[in-house]
Amino acid sequence: MTDTVTPAPIASEPGSNRGVFGWLPSQIDRRVRVFAWLSFVAEVIIIGTGGAVRLTGSGLGCTEWPLCTPESLVPVYELQGIHGAIEFGNRLMTGLVGLLALAVVMLTLHALSGRRLVIRAVWFALGGIVLAIGVYAAASALDLPAAALMSTALLLAVIAGMIDSLRQTTERRDLAVLAWIVLVGVMAQAVVGGFAVISDLNPLIVGFHYTASLLLVCVTAAYLVRMDAVGGPRERAVPAWFGVLTHVTGLALAATILFGVLTTGSGPHSGDAAIVRAGFDATFLAHVHSWPGYILGGLLAVLAGAAWALRLPVRRWLLVLILAVAVQIAVGVWQAREGLPPVLVGIHMVLASLSAAAYTVVVLRLKRPVAA
């Protein structure tokens, strides 16, 4: 006996592609889809470029922030060498990720409300720029950290624009929320990256920087799922116990990633040759990191067996998640046996974000639109 209801077809208004629960997926502009996918790919790539900064010892290739050196925005090769180029390349990638996130926000607002919300968002952006310039000038005159205060002012302006935009959004607010979270998150990540540099690559800040990037990958994945879903009330598409077990699996995945971040932060790849980790015991943490991984593998096996036996709608994405986790485990064992070569560590970092993204898709498919 099931506790779900088979949804009836979604009815539409005559002459419109708006369903009884709001905008249908067909109303999403093709440009939104293209930029949403580009944003997701860019969020994954920047984890790879950020990992390259750390794994090549280029974390302090640019010694300042937001400038690279006290006198230059770009690295001076004679002083910074290849490390400066790698670090500055990651900063350029941050700019690209931010532009893509901005494009998704603007295109989403236009798809949901036409030009009205786009114009309001542009006014907030212009106001934020003026405010940031004023804060920078005042901070410089008072000999305060001008760059940090300017970035904070701009970030607050964007948050204010987000709040105003969401208050004005009446259709498919879920898409607007996800798009704004990515934009705000990317801007906040730039500030966190700056703190990582000026703190001489504090392992806790660097670990938080990576974790936040991984979460942004999950949010962009969620946008891709919701972009192709019908808005409105939703109901369970799986038995209640299956949903609970899926969330428990998520805790195991989160614990595995968390201990992986701590292990990497205590290992040999500190981000700069002059920085030596003196925190946790990396060897012990490597074992602790594997324990929730074993639990995760067992839980995924149970979920996959149940999903296929009951023919649940999440079964195919569960296989994708299992494949991602299996490859992740194989790379993890390989890198441990080979003495943590940088290339394998970098692949391991990227695969963790893809595993988290696949899990996000599985969770979002535990529910479906209610019957019309």
Side-chain angles (χ1 to χ4, degrees):
M1 187 172 182
T2 179
D3 55 358
T4 60
V5 180
T6 302
I10 303 297
S12 300
E13 297 176 359
S16 165
N17 54 0
R18 179 185 299 184
V20 294
F21 298 132
W23 301 87
L24 297 180
S26 59
Q27 191 128 7
I28 300 298
D29 190 279
R30 180 182 178 184
R31 293 172 299 175
V32 180
R33 298 180 182 278
V34 171
F35 277 95
W37 274 102
L38 288 175
S39 181
F40 170 77
V41 172
E43 291 289 355
V44 175
I45 290 176
I46 200 171
I47 287 182
T49 61
V53 170
R54 182 172 185 174
L55 297 170
T56 59
S58 304
L60 296 179
C62 287
T63 57
E64 305 295 326
W65 181 87
L67 300 178
C68 184
T69 69
E71 299 82 19
S72 175
L73 174 64
V74 300
V76 180
Y77 189 82
E78 290 78 6
L79 299 178
Q80 276 74 33
I82 188 63
H83 295 309
I86 294 173
E87 162 66 7
F88 188 71
N90 186 60
R91 294 189 182 192
L92 290 178
M93 188 65 199
T94 300
L96 175 60
V97 170
L99 290 174
L100 290 172
L102 177 62
V104 173
V105 167
M106 292 303 184
L107 289 171
T108 300
L109 295 180
H110 187 270
L112 299 181
S113 66
R115 293 188 299 174
R116 181 175 62 88
L117 289 184
V118 174
I119 293 174
R120 290 180 69 93
V122 169
W123 277 112
F124 270 95
L126 293 176
I129 293 173
V130 172
L131 174 63
I133 293 174
V135 168
Y136 185 87
S140 298
L142 297 173
D143 198 24
L144 297 173
L149 292 175
M150 177 189 69
S151 301
T152 301
L154 190 58
L155 177 60
L156 291 176
V158 172
I159 293 175
M162 176 186 69
I163 294 172
D164 175 76
S165 176
L166 295 179
R167 291 182 61 185
Q168 300 288 327
T169 302
T170 58
E171 303 274 2
R172 292 308 304 267
R173 184 175 292 178
D174 56 331
L175 292 178
V177 168
L178 292 171
W180 275 109
I181 287 176
V182 175
L183 178 59
V184 172
V186 170
M187 295 186 63
Q189 275 287 76
V191 177
V192 174
F195 277 113
V197 171
I198 63 179
S199 67
D200 289 333
L201 305 183
N202 181 289
L204 295 179
I205 296 179
V206 173
F208 175 81
H209 195 43
Y210 167 77
T211 304
S213 294
L214 183 145
L215 291 176
L216 288 176
V217 171
C218 294
V219 176
T220 53
Y223 186 97
L224 293 175
V225 175
R226 296 298 299 152
M227 180 177 64
D228 287 321
V230 176
R234 299 171 67 77
E235 65 182 0
R236 282 201 311 271
V238 299
W241 66 265
F242 188 92
V244 172
L245 191 59
T246 301
H247 291 297
V248 172
T249 303
L251 293 177
L253 176 60
T256 304
I257 293 174
L258 174 61
F259 284 112
V261 171
L262 293 176
T263 302
T264 303
S266 303
H269 303 295
S270 61
D272 189 88
I275 296 177
V276 179
R277 297 292 185 225
F280 302 104
D281 184 338
T283 302
F284 174 72
L285 277 177
H287 290 290
V288 176
H289 172 47
S290 66
W291 298 340
Y294 297 142
I295 297 173
L296 174 64
L299 290 172
L300 286 175
V302 173
L303 286 175
W308 281 92
L310 300 175
R311 301 189 62 79
L312 300 179
V314 297
R315 59 188 184 275
R316 290 184 176 85
W317 273 103
L318 268 173
L319 289 182
V320 173
L321 175 57
I322 290 173
L323 177 62
V325 171
V327 176
Q328 174 80 331
I329 292 174
V331 172
V333 173
W334 186 12
Q335 70 173 6
R337 291 181 175 178
E338 295 297 325
L340 302 179
V343 172
L344 292 182
V345 175
I347 293 174
H348 199 55
M349 293 170 62
V350 174
L351 285 173
S353 69
L354 294 177
S355 297
Y359 175 76
T360 301
V361 177
V362 170
V363 169
L364 291 177
R365 293 184 180 276
L366 295 176
K367 290 186 176 182
R368 62 190 173 195
V370 298

